[in-house]
Amino acid sequence: DDLVLDYTRTMMGALLLNPKPRHVLMIGLGGGSMVKYLHRHVPEADITVVEISQSVIDLRDAFHVPPDDARLHTVCADGAEFMRKPPRSYDLILVDGFTGEGIADALCTRGFYLHCRKALSAEGLLVANVQADTDQTREIGKRLFKVFEGSMISVLSDEGGNDIVTAGPRHLFEQGRADFEGHWAALSAAHQATLGVTSSRIQRALIKGFP
């Protein structure tokens, strides 16, 4: 349950702004690294994973993804359709849904982002993994900027190819910018170890804001 890939560590950077999300929604299971990390290191979180492919879910044992339990719920469904009528609000929504050609089209529309924003709690954050420096990415950035009224940051992974966009209530970004060291000190040792490499990039993004 270590986060080996930098883009997954960067997505977990949301914990700097909201360190104890109670309700987490993940769209896209993949190899399950973020699910495993959250399940172990954020024990207070109730986690729902929406994955469109049953064949991906069927591989969970091979990747040591924990079985569903009182805190972990896996749903085989289209993430965009799920967000039209989500069963509750969420403190953290992680979007990492890719096809063989790139980001699933349904997961980067203005309507999808509007549904995500409506599903966020007062302290909720949306974190989306998008491909870096493409026409599609730039269009996604514009959509997110409009839907969240500019309240967002963008952080490139150090591996290249991934741009992690975090959007949510403006006060969380302002607090993180004003007292980054305090937010860092409040993290658990496990989170500090995970975010050590990416923390400086997150801090620079908070200072810069979104262009």
Side-chain angles (χ1 to χ4, degrees), residues 157-176:
S157 71
D158 67 3
E159 297 149 344
N162 297 95
D163 186 13
I164 307 304
V165 177
T166 303
R170 189 172 299 275
H171 70 272
L172 289 184
F173 297 105
E174 292 174 346
Q175 291 168 2

Side-chain angles (χ1 to χ4, degrees), residues 5-114:
L5 298 177
D6 184 73
Y7 93 85
T8 60
R9 295 193 295 266
T10 305
M11 291 185 76
M12 284 298 107
L15 298 175
L16 272 161
L17 304 176
N18 185 353
K20 293 185 178 182
R22 296 300 302 271
H23 298 282
V24 178
L25 173 66
M26 290 192 58
I27 297 179
L29 173 61
S33 58
M34 288 189 288
V35 175
K36 290 184 285 186
Y37 183 87
L38 288 165
H39 193 263
R40 178 174 180 181
H41 296 296
V42 189
E44 65 274 10
D46 180 270
I47 306 162
T48 299
V49 183
V50 179
E51 168 56 52
I52 196 170
S53 172
Q54 184 61 50
S55 63
V56 172
I57 296 173
D58 290 343
L59 288 170
R60 65 189 300 164
D61 290 345
F63 288 93
H64 305 287
V65 176
D68 282 8
D69 56 22
R71 295 177 46 234
L72 177 58
H73 320 277
T74 306
V75 180
C76 185
D78 182 306
E81 290 298 321
F82 184 90
M83 290 311 302
R84 292 180 183 275
K85 292 183 178 180
R88 60 163 309 107
S89 62
Y90 300 95
D91 305 308
L92 179 61
I93 299 176
L94 300 164
V95 181
D96 188 22
F98 281 74
T99 68
E101 289 73 44
I103 307 170
D105 290 339
L107 300 182
C108 54
T109 66
R110 180 176 180 273
F112 172 71
Y113 293 135
L114 282 169

